[in-house]
Amino acid sequence: MAAFERVQIDPQPLSGTEKVDLTVEILGSKLSMPVIIPPMGSHGLAHVSKEEGTAKAAHAVGTLMLTSTQSNLSMEEIAQHNPGPKWFQLYAMKDRGVLRELLQRAKAAGYTAIAPTVDNLFGYPREENIRNEFRPPRSLGKGNAPRSISDPAAAIAALDARKRDLNWDDMEFIKKESGLPVIVKGVLSAKVAAMAMKRGMDAVYVSNHGGRAFDGVQATITALPRIADAVQGRLPIILDSGVRRGTDVFKALALGANVVACGRPVLYGLALGGSLGAQSVLEYMRDNLALVMRLAGTPSIKDISRDNLAPHVA
Ligand SMILES: Cc1cc2nc3c(=O)[nH]c(=O)nc-3n(C[C@H](O)[C@H](O)[C@H](O)COP(=O)(O)O)c2cc1C
């Protein structure tokens, strides 16, 4: 969030901009705005409606949510509450049979892209969680446990057994097996982005997991310009971690992102007001971005570029 504050907008008054168009298209999904909900496990921690609340909010606003492998409801139930565009986040598991099963389920349920998360394989210690003795409550459910394993405990264990030596061959396997576009989530390096292009991936998702997977790495808005330079517009770029306002969205788009995701604020909205609470956070992001675009003098998303930022003053 501090890194976002260091980027400054160069407004263009007298550009005659009043009407603004926030719509975007990414990987074939048409969205009302360039703000989506990132994959977050266990929405049941926030509200009894679990992912039903957030899925309905995404649909009401005309944007998409990534369903997490670690959702409480099943990916099929979540899809029913959001008939619009949707993507599935994948924590690739060790067992290829289980992995295949999940990919097939996602495709059959109408998910149109798979986002393997590559930055959270080793359970980085979250000191606050340790101090608070936080454990995700099992009672909330694990909707994506494989159905081919009849014993519930064994099914959950198979879902949670992540492949820790994940590599580019796995990414290609996921693409081939699913037949869907693959979004590599958790990229902070231009080299990794270049490799994603080389290995036929379909989008780069710049994320540091909201600062939850590895201390000491860059803020995403700091990493973004080099990644955008490497990608040169050949792959769409999604960015999250610390996006809180329309100004943050605008800055990320100006530096090369096509779409951004806003995580915890949506969950806090869900906690406070269920589906309508989550929806109100998304509406705030939309309306605030529209205002920023008017003030900056950019009538549509494609008009937003590095020219709309002030030169960096150290
Ligand atoms: C409660 C919670 C659960 C999350 N679970 C997942 C997950 O299952 N898969 C994943 O790829 N990222 C997960 N993330 C990371 C988000 O996808 C995203 O990168 C991050 O929340 C963005 O930062 P922000 O919350 O500052 O907007 C989780 C984040 C939170 C806060």
Side-chain angles (χ1 to χ4, degrees):
M1 287 163 70
F4 273 100
E5 281 176 17
R6 288 195 292 271
V7 180
Q8 289 165 341
I9 297 167
D10 193 9
Q12 303 293 313
L14 297 174
S15 64
T17 305
E18 185 184 2
K19 276 204 178 130
V20 286
D21 176 5
L22 272 64
T23 55
V24 285
E25 187 171 344
I26 178 163
L27 298 176
S29 294
K30 290 197 170 81
L31 310 178
S32 66
M33 63 168 170
V35 182
I36 63 174
I37 305 179
M40 291 180 286
S42 209
H43 292 193
L45 285 171
H47 194 260
V48 286
S49 64
K50 302 178 179 172
E51 290 82 12
E52 175 180 340
T54 20
K56 281 182 175 163
H59 186 56
V61 176
T63 191
L64 71 71
M65 174 169 101
L66 280 111
T67 289
S68 165
T69 297
Q70 293 293 340
S71 57
N72 296 131
L73 299 182
S74 70
M75 60 176 109
E76 292 85 359
E77 287 169 296
I78 298 167
Q80 274 174 13
H81 296 296
N82 180 4
K86 49 196 157 287
W87 299 339
F88 184 72
Q89 177 269 337
L90 181 73
Y91 276 131
M93 46 287 301
K94 258 189 221 157
D95 187 306
R96 284 254 155 136
V98 172
L99 177 57
R100 243 187 221 118
E101 182 184 332
L102 277 226
L103 292 173
Q104 281 160 8
R105 274 175 64 184
K107 194 171 186 179
Y111 293 86
T112 56
I114 303 293
T117 297
V118 300
D119 65 356
N120 190 29
L121 304 175
F122 297 100
Y124 192 79
R126 296 173 182 166
E127 288 167 6
E128 279 181 38
N129 286 358
I130 295 167
R131 280 195 285 273
N132 292 334
E133 297 184 28
F134 172 76
R135 308 222 188 325
R138 287 260 154 147
S139 58
L140 292 173
K142 290 226 181 197
N144 298 323
R147 291 168 177 173
S148 55
I149 302 175
S150 54
D151 173 53
I156 290 173
L159 181 79
D160 290 348
R162 285 182 204 170
K163 187 170 191 297
R164 302 206 195 274
D165 59 351
L166 209 61
N167 57 55
W168 288 106
D169 291 343
D170 296 313
M171 297 297 109
E172 287 182 354
F173 175 85
I174 291 163
K175 179 159 175 160
K176 195 160 154 266
E177 281 297 318
S178 66
L180 293 174
V182 172
I183 304 163
V184 183
K185 178 173 186 277
V187 176
L188 287 171
S189 135
K191 269 191 210 157
V192 175
M195 189 56 95
M197 276 193 294
K198 200 168 157 205
R199 300 292 289 243
M201 301 293 113
D202 300 276
V204 170
Y205 192 146
V206 180
S207 173
N208 62 21
H209 220 94
R212 297 156 53 86
F214 191 6
D215 284 336
V217 298
Q218 274 189 316
T220 51
I221 195 73
T222 311
L224 177 62
R226 280 186 302 124
I227 293 172
D229 287 346
V231 167
Q232 290 286 328
R234 280 172 284 173
L235 294 186
I237 297 177
I238 301 139
L239 174 140
D240 74 18
S241 304
V243 174
R244 299 292 177 264
R245 299 172 184 283
T247 44
D248 300 332
V249 181
F250 186 90
K251 291 170 186 180
L253 298 178
L255 289 172
N258 297 79
V259 160
V260 304
C262 174
R264 274 161 290 190
V266 172
L267 273 194
Y268 300 151
L270 184 74
L272 288 168
S275 184
L276 288 178
Q279 188 180 325
S280 76
V281 173
L282 294 170
E283 286 167 349
Y284 166 79
M285 296 297 287
R286 180 194 64 201
D287 297 346
N288 197 228
L289 174 62
L291 176 63
V292 172
M293 287 169 66
R294 285 185 192 108
L295 291 168
T298 50
S300 77
I301 299 300
K302 66 173 175 5
D303 295 315
I304 304 172
S305 74
R306 285 189 200 185
D307 291 345
N308 300 108
L309 299 180
H312 181 72
V313 182

